[in-house]
Amino acid sequence: MDNQTNLAVSSRTEKKALEKAKILQRESDREVFLLVGRILKKTEAERSEEEASVLLLHRNLVDELIKRQTRRNELKRKQEEVFDDADELKRKVRQLAVAVQQAKHLVVYTGAGISTAASIPDYRGPNGVWTQLQKGRVFSSSDLSKAEPTLTHMCIKMLYQDMLVKHVVSQNCDGLHLRSGLPRHALSELHGNMFVEVCTHCSPVREYVRLFDVTERTSLHRHGTGRRCSHCGKELRDTIVHFGERGTLETPLNWKAAAEAAKMADVILCLGSSLKVLKKYACLWCMNRPADKRPKLYIINLQWTPKDDLAVLKIHAKCDDVMNLLMKELHIHIPVYVRVDDPIFSLATPLHPDEQHSHTRALIARHDVIDDIIDPFSDLQQPSESQQVCGGWFGRGYGKGRKKKKTA
């Protein structure tokens, strides 16, 4: 009995000693790590002989720290915005104009960068949603339904009307392509539309276009809007596809038309997208074909994209600036957005009397109202740490992929 007790005590003592040794080793490794890091920040001329000896002794750690710094520098480079000078921009736009004119089946892919001129922030730019959240700030947004189509939206509509563009594939949920006058059959909104709610219980799926942001109470995996289908009485849901979700709705996502357009495309023009999400959709890039059989790729974006190396031309400029020059080269008039002619008014389904208070968003008005005199996006431009993201789609999904802390 005594032998068993002594063995148990000895075993516990050994475990404690082992754990203590591990802790001391981790502390020692951390001290070495910090020391080597401090030395590497100095130039070779500034390092003493003793410091040089430390680097030689811990060569593997030095290599690892250099690799980490290289990765950080590369990431920082990719996040920087680059602008082409005026002459370079004009030369590139002329090259793009030739490609647009010669294209037999031009498809346009659009991202958040085409809506920044409407005061809707992008996601990965210097002041983007993800960028701000990574800095520990709580990003805010006002009622995004007050935004209006930008010059780029109107240009794309005109290019479609002139039969130079065959289809538009958008990642944006702001509905501005639809409001610019682009026909619905020519548009695939892969991540949904903030003005559209649907009844998935009806067959075919029944669609309701509203004059306000229907995503006010929705979020990741929670799509019910609280309103009911006028035909079957079931709860309606929004059409937003959040990070971590798979969009299956036929409209407004229109995946079938997007895949068909990509298959027929000989030129793809990417406007204002980082392509970090779009690159994952293999059907949009025809990568199963030989390189010379794939669509020619043209990219307009201020930052690096994962498709830059495959592009025939990369233009570093704001979308509105490029499209303004492009339309001049093509001798196409750019119409001004007129709110009274917005197609959303003819597409919208009015609420039932008992649904009038089912949302707190202001309706899109046909004419300017007094509230529009005040800049509705003032809080977008200067986010406050105390403000919260409004709506069920804007800025959501930042926490995807992070390990959730286990709670008791």
Side-chain angles (χ1 to χ4, degrees):
M1 188 69 178
D2 291 339
N3 289 336
Q4 291 180 350
T5 303
N6 291 334
L7 286 172
V9 171
S10 176
S11 178
R12 286 197 297 270
T13 303
E14 289 176 0
K15 286 181 180 179
K16 287 182 178 180
L18 184 61
E19 287 299 322
K20 184 177 180 180
K22 287 181 179 179
I23 293 171
L24 292 174
Q25 184 62 45
R26 283 199 297 269
E27 291 178 353
S28 176
D29 290 343
R30 176 172 172 75
E31 289 176 1
V32 172
F33 183 91
L34 295 174
L35 175 60
V36 171
R38 287 195 296 270
I39 296 173
L40 286 176
K41 289 179 181 179
K42 299 180 180 180
T43 63
E44 290 189 16
E46 293 174 331
R47 295 170 192 165
S48 65
E49 291 185 8
E50 184 180 351
E51 289 174 334
S53 300
V54 171
L55 296 183
L56 288 174
L57 183 62
H58 301 284
R59 192 65 216 173
N60 290 338
L61 179 57
V62 170
D63 293 340
E64 176 61 26
L65 287 174
I66 290 175
K67 287 179 182 178
R68 290 188 186 186
Q69 185 60 48
T70 302
R71 285 195 295 267
R72 282 195 293 269
N73 292 339
E74 182 67 10
L75 181 61
K76 185 177 179 181
R77 181 189 68 81
K78 289 178 178 180
Q79 292 176 336
E80 290 176 351
E81 290 188 343
V82 179
F83 289 85
D84 292 328
D85 61 48
D87 292 337
E88 180 75 358
L89 179 59
K90 290 179 181 178
R91 182 189 67 78
K92 288 184 176 181
V93 170
R94 284 194 293 269
Q95 186 178 340
L96 175 61
V98 173
V100 170
Q101 289 173 318
Q102 294 179 349
K104 295 178 181 178
H105 201 98
L106 170 61
V107 181
V108 177
Y109 295 170
T110 64
I114 73 166
S115 297
T116 53
S119 296
I120 298 178
D122 57 14
Y123 287 93
R124 294 179 173 87
N127 296 311
V129 179
W130 301 158
T131 308
Q132 296 297 326
L133 291 175
Q134 284 172 348
K135 294 178 180 179
R137 300 173 185 170
V138 179
F139 206 88
S140 67
S141 66
S142 63
D143 189 347
L144 301 178
S145 61
K146 293 182 180 180
E148 295 182 346
T150 65
L151 180 143
T152 296
H153 288 98
M154 304 308 294
C155 290
I156 293 172
K157 183 198 80 165
M158 290 304 298
L159 290 173
Y160 176 80
Q161 285 188 0
D162 286 7
M163 302 178 69
L164 291 173
V165 168
K166 302 299 183 185
H167 197 78
V168 177
V169 178
S170 177
Q171 298 170 261
N172 300 338
C173 304
D174 52 35
L176 295 182
H177 278 303
L178 179 65
R179 296 180 60 192
S180 73
L182 189 68
R184 303 208 67 184
H185 62 83
L187 175 63
S188 294
E189 295 174 295
L190 301 185
H191 296 155
N193 186 316
M194 63 186 278
F195 297 106
V196 179
E197 54 187 350
V198 296
C199 176
T200 55
H201 298 278
C202 289
S203 183
V205 172
R206 197 175 299 277
E207 184 180 77
Y208 296 82
V209 178
R210 306 298 190 184
L211 295 177
F212 56 89
D213 181 0
V214 304
T215 72
E216 181 179 0
R217 296 183 177 89
T218 65
S219 61
L220 181 69
H221 302 309
R222 296 172 59 189
H223 294 276
T225 64
R227 287 173 288 277
R228 300 281 173 177
C229 175
S230 59
H231 294 266
C232 70
K234 299 291 186 180
E235 187 179 19
L236 300 177
R237 57 155 290 172
D238 70 8
T239 60
I240 305 301
V241 181
H242 294 279
F243 287 90
E245 296 180 337
R246 185 182 182 89
T248 57
L249 294 172
E250 184 175 342
T251 57
L253 277 56
N254 201 6
W255 265 106
K256 183 178 179 181
E260 190 63 29
K263 190 186 300 182
M264 297 176 64
D266 60 340
V267 174
I268 294 175
L269 173 60
C270 299
L271 284 164
S273 173
S274 69
L275 301 181
K276 290 181 179 179
V277 174
L278 277 186
K279 72 171 184 178
K280 298 177 182 179
Y281 303 139
C283 65
L284 298 180
W285 304 104
C286 305
M287 296 303 290
N288 57 336
R289 301 182 194 172
D292 59 340
K293 300 292 184 182
R294 296 172 196 160
K296 293 180 180 178
L297 183 58
Y298 293 79
I299 299 174
I300 300 171
N301 203 56
L302 291 171
Q303 294 175 306
W304 171 91
T305 81
K307 293 289 184 180
D308 285 357
D309 292 340
L310 301 176
V312 174
L313 180 69
K314 171 71 179 293
I315 302 179
H316 298 93
K318 293 184 177 180
C319 293
D320 278 6
D321 295 340
V322 174
M323 296 305 291
N324 190 28
L325 292 173
L326 176 63
M327 299 298 270
K328 288 179 181 178
E329 287 289 330
L330 297 174
H331 305 291
I332 299 176
H333 170 68
I334 305 173
V336 177
Y337 168 77
V338 180
R339 194 187 304 178
V340 293
D341 297 329
D342 195 319
I344 199 168
F345 295 113
S346 59
L347 294 170
T349 303
L351 294 173
H352 290 294
D354 58 343
E355 294 178 325
Q356 294 298 327
H357 301 291
S358 63
H359 68 95
T360 62
R361 297 296 191 205
L363 294 173
I364 300 175
R366 277 188 179 273
H367 301 279
D368 288 335
V369 292
I370 192 67
D371 290 342
D372 290 334
I373 297 175
I374 303 173
D375 182 7
F377 300 102
S378 59
D379 58 337
L380 278 176
Q381 295 160 357
Q382 295 182 354
S384 166
E385 295 195 11
S386 62
Q387 294 170 323
Q388 304 256 336
V389 175
C390 301
W393 67 275
F394 189 79
R396 299 297 175 89
Y398 172 70
K400 179 182 177 290
R402 287 190 168 189
K403 292 182 180 179
K404 296 182 179 178
K405 293 182 179 180
K406 293 182 179 180
T407 56

